[in-house]
Amino acid sequence: ITERVRMGKKVRENERMAYIGQITASLSHEIRNPLSSIKMNLQILSGNPKIIGNDKRRVDISVSEVIRLEQILNQLLDFAKPLQLNLKPCNIRHILNSYIELLEIKFKEKNLNVVTALEDELPPFIADGEKLGQAFINILINAIESSDPSGKVSVTFKKIIRQNLEYAAVLIDDEGPGLDENDKEEIFKPFFTRKTKGVGLGLANVKRIIDAHNGFVSAEKKEGKGASFLIMLPLGNT
């Protein structure tokens, strides 16, 4: 019965995501053309030598805000596209190391200490390494943004066994404000966010990618301070 309920929930979630994707794609296309026209005209005005001082500053701010809106539209369109996996042997340890190095500047900007405990690569793992990398970097960026300056972010990669099944587990901990208990499930839903900026698609995209790999992702409030994100990917794929 539990498995039937879980499968039914997954089917309803997939139908809901497909509907959201259709609406998002339609709205994004409708908005993109007028937005491009507004940006082009603002850029022309910005180059007019008669527009100076505060007026030029206002036009420049408007141009940068239009560019930000275009970036949000691109995120929406990416999210609306069906997720297609390019499956091949990949090295999760290598992927994690690569993205930690890629974010080195962002870690340094907040003087964050990154502590890693990454096991040697587990048995051959077939997955879409690029998509998994997107999931990892979204959670890492979330950890950076949530952390106080001079804090710590921990990244652990190891094999764990749950209910006699083997999983590759990636655990990312931060020392930020943590999670509200009621938000643990909500944060993985599209457009949910407690941030002042962003559209709330980062963690929704994480869940979509991990679900596509038949894995699980969860978030918990740590005892004391911070949040903990756990990604579990089933081993045994060859």
Side-chain angles (χ1 to χ4, degrees):
I1 295 176
T2 304
E3 181 63 20
R4 188 181 302 167
V5 170
R6 190 179 75 83
M7 289 302 297
K9 184 177 179 182
K10 191 165 185 177
V11 168
R12 289 192 298 274
E13 181 67 15
N14 288 341
E15 290 173 348
R16 177 173 171 270
M17 291 298 294
Y19 178 71
I20 289 173
Q22 291 170 5
I23 296 296
T24 299
S26 177
L27 285 175
S28 296
H29 285 301
E30 288 296 321
I31 295 169
R32 181 182 290 279
N33 288 337
L35 203 59
S36 296
S37 178
I38 292 169
K39 184 178 77 169
M40 181 184 69
N41 284 287
L42 284 171
Q43 287 172 332
I44 291 170
L45 286 173
S46 179
N48 189 330
K50 293 180 181 179
I51 298 179
I52 58 175
N54 284 336
D55 287 339
K56 186 173 190 314
R57 185 173 63 85
R58 291 188 185 100
V59 172
D60 289 341
I61 290 171
S62 298
V63 170
S64 66
E65 287 300 291
V66 169
I67 291 172
R68 187 168 71 88
L69 285 173
E70 285 183 328
Q71 291 171 344
I72 291 172
L73 275 180
N74 288 333
Q75 290 179 42
L76 291 171
L77 284 171
D78 285 343
F79 190 77
K81 294 175 185 173
L83 187 66
Q84 295 182 336
L85 298 181
N86 179 22
L87 299 175
K88 57 185 178 182
C90 67
N91 186 314
I92 296 178
R93 186 175 189 269
H94 175 72
I95 295 169
L96 281 167
N97 272 325
S98 297
Y99 282 101
I100 290 170
E101 290 176 9
L102 183 68
L103 294 171
E104 183 179 2
I105 293 175
K106 286 190 173 292
F107 283 116
K108 285 184 176 179
E109 282 175 355
K110 296 187 77 170
N111 195 31
L112 296 174
N113 181 28
V114 186
V115 178
T116 61
L118 308 180
E119 281 191 3
D120 290 336
E121 188 58 27
L122 302 176
F125 190 79
I126 306 299
D128 187 323
E130 185 176 337
K131 293 290 191 303
L132 286 181
Q134 290 176 17
F136 298 152
I137 199 170
N138 276 335
I139 295 182
L140 287 168
I141 289 173
N142 189 76
I144 292 170
E145 292 176 347
S146 300
S147 296
D148 295 327
S150 302
K152 181 177 73 173
V153 173
S154 301
V155 182
T156 304
F157 169 53
K158 62 182 179 179
K159 181 175 76 174
I160 64 175
I161 298 175
R162 292 241 178 125
Q163 297 179 344
N164 297 321
L165 297 175
E166 292 184 337
Y167 293 90
V170 177
L171 185 66
I172 299 175
D173 292 342
D174 64 60
E175 294 181 341
L179 296 169
D180 187 294
E181 191 67 23
N182 296 325
D183 288 351
K184 289 196 305 183
E185 297 296 329
E186 298 296 318
I187 59 174
F188 294 108
K189 293 181 178 179
F191 311 115
F192 178 87
T193 181
R194 297 288 188 198
K195 299 176 183 177
T196 55
K197 288 189 177 182
V199 291
L201 289 178
L203 293 178
N205 201 40
V206 170
K207 185 177 187 304
R208 188 167 72 139
I209 290 169
I210 301 307
D211 282 351
H213 285 85
N214 297 315
F216 307 91
V217 58
S218 61
E220 298 287 343
K221 181 177 175 62
K222 288 168 56 184
E223 287 187 15
K225 189 178 182 183
S228 179
F229 285 82
L230 174 65
I231 289 175
M232 299 204 328
L233 299 161
L235 289 172
N237 353 12
T238 55

